[in-house]
Structure formats: C-alpha cells, structure tokens
Amino acid sequence: MTELLAFDLDGTLLETAEDFFLAINTLRKRYGVTEPEISFNEVKSRVSEGAFSMAGYAMNLTLDKETEVENYRQELMKIYKECCLVNTKPFPGIEELLNELNSKNVYWGIVTNKPFYFAEDIVKSNLAEFNPKFLICPDDTGKRKPHPDGLNLACKTANSNPKNSFYIGDHSIDIIAGKAAGMQTVAVAYGYVPLNENLNDWDADYIVNKPSEILDLI
C-alpha cells in the first residue's frame, strides 16, 4: 500500500528552466557577456545542479573560481527572484496527476533543494490549488540532497513507512537521496536530466516517461 508520494520540484512537477534562462540572460546582458552563446538545453540540464553551476556557466567561469562564481550566484538569485513566476508552469499531465492523487486520498508533498525564499511563492502560484501536504526545503533540515534528511522528514510528517513511500525526481541526487532514506525511487525521463547522462545508470526502482505513468506505480 502506498503511504506517501514525495516529489522533487524543478524538472519534476514544474517547468522552471525558462525563468532560469531569462535570469541568466539578464545577468549576462548586465555585464556585456555575449560569447559564447548560451544553450537553453544546457541551462535546463543544470537546474537540478543549483545556482552555483548555472552562474559559472552563465559567466564562462570554471567552478574552481569559487569567490567569483559565488558573487555572480548571489546576483543571479536576486534577478531570478524577480522573474521566477514569469514562465514557470506545471509539466503537461501534472495537474491531472495531482487531481487523481487527491481523489484517491494519496498523501503527497514536495522535497526540494530550492530555498524556501523561492519555493514558497513558486509553489503558491502554481500548485497551491492541489494542496500539497508539505513543502520541505534545505531551510528545514540544514541539508541538501543527496543527503536524505529532507526525505526522512517527509516520511515522519506523513507518518509513513519509507518502504511504502516513493520519491520522484529528475536527477541522480534524487535517486541517491531516496535510496538513502529507504524509499522507493522514481526517475522522470521528461524532466531536466543532465546532458550525457543515462537514467538507467541511476539505478532507480522505476523510470517514467510521463506523469500519468506514476499512477501505475500506486
């Protein structure tokens, strides 16, 4: 019996890459950076890796330039806060999935590496009507995935047995975190899978190609 479905946010429930792409282009324009041209697919593949990775890519810096990249990361996040609701929306099929979960009284919520400062408004704007039971961010545990603390808290919140619970995400760190929490893991092929990575290498318990296939698991 399924007791809990916990979802990653970016690249799993919501298409957020367009707003990150907008923020990155704004940052580059601010500093007159035009070459090389940035790739939307490259930005999309870095969403789950976090703002530090995206800032380095945006400004043509290797990530060992920690101080420089961090300064740009902070500026990028200020820009992103202003545009994070412009294009973000649920993936096709997510609204139908969440309505079906609610009709079946399935307990579900969100565990993300996105700071609460951003996640709160984004979830309110795009998912509040579907009544997620929790939104767990690194602010709540002091740890980011692949550390399992966020998922451990989700199972505690739902009073669920991890063996009867699923974590659903689009990056290998989601699968690592889910397994460390003792949960069943689901990799979503429709999400922001990093370029040149193969989902089969992640050793997820399940792979789904569209949101409706998640229903078959429960």
Side-chain angles (χ1 to χ4, degrees):
M1 177 182 175
T2 300
E3 298 179 14
L4 167 67
L5 289 185
F7 292 88
D8 177 43
L9 185 62
D10 299 70
T12 300
L13 289 175
L14 298 180
E15 294 189 85
T16 58
E18 288 189 32
D19 287 336
F20 279 115
F21 191 64
L22 175 59
I24 284 172
N25 276 300
T26 301
L27 178 67
R28 283 165 59 91
K29 184 177 180 180
R30 183 173 293 178
Y31 288 94
V33 179
T34 58
E35 298 292 339
E37 184 176 345
I38 60 171
S39 159
F40 175 72
N41 285 335
E42 182 73 38
V43 171
K44 184 171 70 171
S45 77
R46 290 173 180 266
V47 168
S48 294
E49 296 179 5
F52 191 83
S53 173
M54 286 189 284
Y57 173 67
M59 304 306 290
N60 305 322
L61 294 169
T62 56
L63 300 188
D64 61 330
K65 306 287 187 181
E66 293 185 12
T67 300
E68 290 179 79
V69 176
E70 175 58 20
N71 288 336
Y72 286 123
R73 184 200 69 82
Q74 292 181 23
E75 191 165 356
L76 179 63
M77 289 297 88
K78 291 177 182 177
I79 296 169
Y80 177 64
K81 181 63 174 177
E82 297 301 316
C83 68
C84 65
L85 300 178
V86 174
N87 299 298
T88 289
K89 59 186 179 296
F91 277 98
I94 286 295
E95 294 181 349
E96 293 80 0
L97 168 64
L98 298 181
N99 279 328
E100 188 67 19
L101 293 180
N102 287 336
S103 74
K104 296 178 181 297
N105 294 316
V106 176
Y107 198 98
W108 71 273
I110 300 162
V111 180
T112 177
N113 274 353
K114 210 178 196 76
F116 186 75
Y117 177 69
F118 298 104
E120 181 185 31
D121 288 344
I122 291 171
V123 170
K124 279 184 178 179
S125 178
N126 291 279
L127 297 170
E129 65 183 284
F130 303 104
N131 192 33
K133 300 300 189 293
F134 55 80
L135 169 61
I136 295 173
C137 301
D139 313 60
D140 298 297
T141 64
K143 300 286 180 61
R144 293 169 54 87
K145 296 174 295 182
H147 199 282
D149 271 11
L151 293 172
N152 293 335
L153 178 57
C155 290
K156 182 178 180 180
T157 300
N159 194 27
S160 69
N161 184 332
K163 293 181 179 180
N164 298 327
S165 305
F166 292 80
Y167 188 49
I168 303 160
D170 68 316
H171 196 281
S172 59
I173 63 172
D174 299 318
I175 307 308
I176 294 169
K179 286 184 173 296
M183 302 171 72
Q184 299 185 62
T185 56
V186 183
V188 298
Y190 62 81
Y192 298 159
V193 178
L195 297 178
N196 304 315
E197 285 199 23
N198 188 329
L199 271 73
N200 293 303
D201 295 335
W202 298 355
D203 197 29
D205 296 299
Y206 306 95
I207 295 175
V208 298
N209 294 296
K210 53 186 178 180
S212 60
E213 294 177 8
I214 295 170
L215 292 172
D216 297 333
L217 304 179
I218 63 170

